[in-house]
């Protein structure tokens, strides 16, 4: 069973930075994609960024130029560097792992990011 462990959330002021880390364990499968989604109170979960196995990156328009996703396929680990944070970035950030072998999606429990103005 794939388990995702997220870390790095916290509280910062607008303009600050945070780095999220997500590590997958419990599997020898490598990821097809691995990335981040977020959910703010009263809103649906939305895509933030993803890293493909060929290291192609994809970003939501709202975070382009501010967030950078990177990772290590052989370690099933991804990082999300978040700069120039805005209050609207406040949400619970969930890691997603899509298995290259099965195509199944797995989710982490989430880490809270709070940005104050």
């Amino acid at each position: 069973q794939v388990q995702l462990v997220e870390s790095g959330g916290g509280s910062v002021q607008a303009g600050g930075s945070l780095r999220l880390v997500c590590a997958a364990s419990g599997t020898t499968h490598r990821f097809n994609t691995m990335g981040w989604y977020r959910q703010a109170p009263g809103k649906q979960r939305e895509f933030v960024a993803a890293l493909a196995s060929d290291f192609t990156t994809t970003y939501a328009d709202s975070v382009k130029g501010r967030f950078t996703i990177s990772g290590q396929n052989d370690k099933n680990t991804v990082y999300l560097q978040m700069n120039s944070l805005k209050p609207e970035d406040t949400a619970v950030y969930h890691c997603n792992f899509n298995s290259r072998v099965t195509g199944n999606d797995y989710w982490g429990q989430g880490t809270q990011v709070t940005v104050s103005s």
Side-chain angles (χ1 to χ4, degrees):
Q1 181 71 16
V2 178
Q3 293 184 325
L4 303 180
V5 178
E6 302 138 327
S7 61
S11 298
V12 295
Q13 291 191 325
S17 299
L18 286 172
R19 186 182 190 228
L20 305 184
V21 182
C22 176
S25 62
T27 180
T28 57
H29 299 172
R30 296 293 176 243
F31 63 80
N32 183 37
T33 60
M34 198 166 173
W36 296 90
Y37 289 69
R38 66 187 182 188
Q39 187 166 18
K43 295 187 177 181
Q44 290 188 330
R45 188 173 294 188
E46 65 176 5
F47 170 76
V48 176
L51 178 71
S53 57
D54 63 356
F55 296 100
T56 301
T57 58
T58 309
Y59 297 95
D61 288 344
S62 59
V63 306
K64 281 181 181 177
R66 300 188 298 120
F67 291 10
T68 302
I69 190 168
S70 60
Q72 299 169 282
N73 198 319
D74 60 339
K75 294 184 179 180
N76 281 342
T77 301
V78 290
Y79 312 92
L80 186 67
Q81 179 65 43
M82 305 186 295
N83 297 330
S84 302
L85 283 161
K86 304 176 181 180
E88 50 263 44
D89 294 318
T90 295
V92 176
Y93 284 69
H94 295 271
C95 180
N96 171 266
F97 175 99
N98 179 268
S99 169
R100 187 188 297 182
V101 175
T102 66
N104 291 338
D105 278 311
Y106 299 90
W107 294 91
Q109 290 191 330
T111 184
Q112 177 70 46
V113 171
T114 302
V115 185
S116 58
S117 57

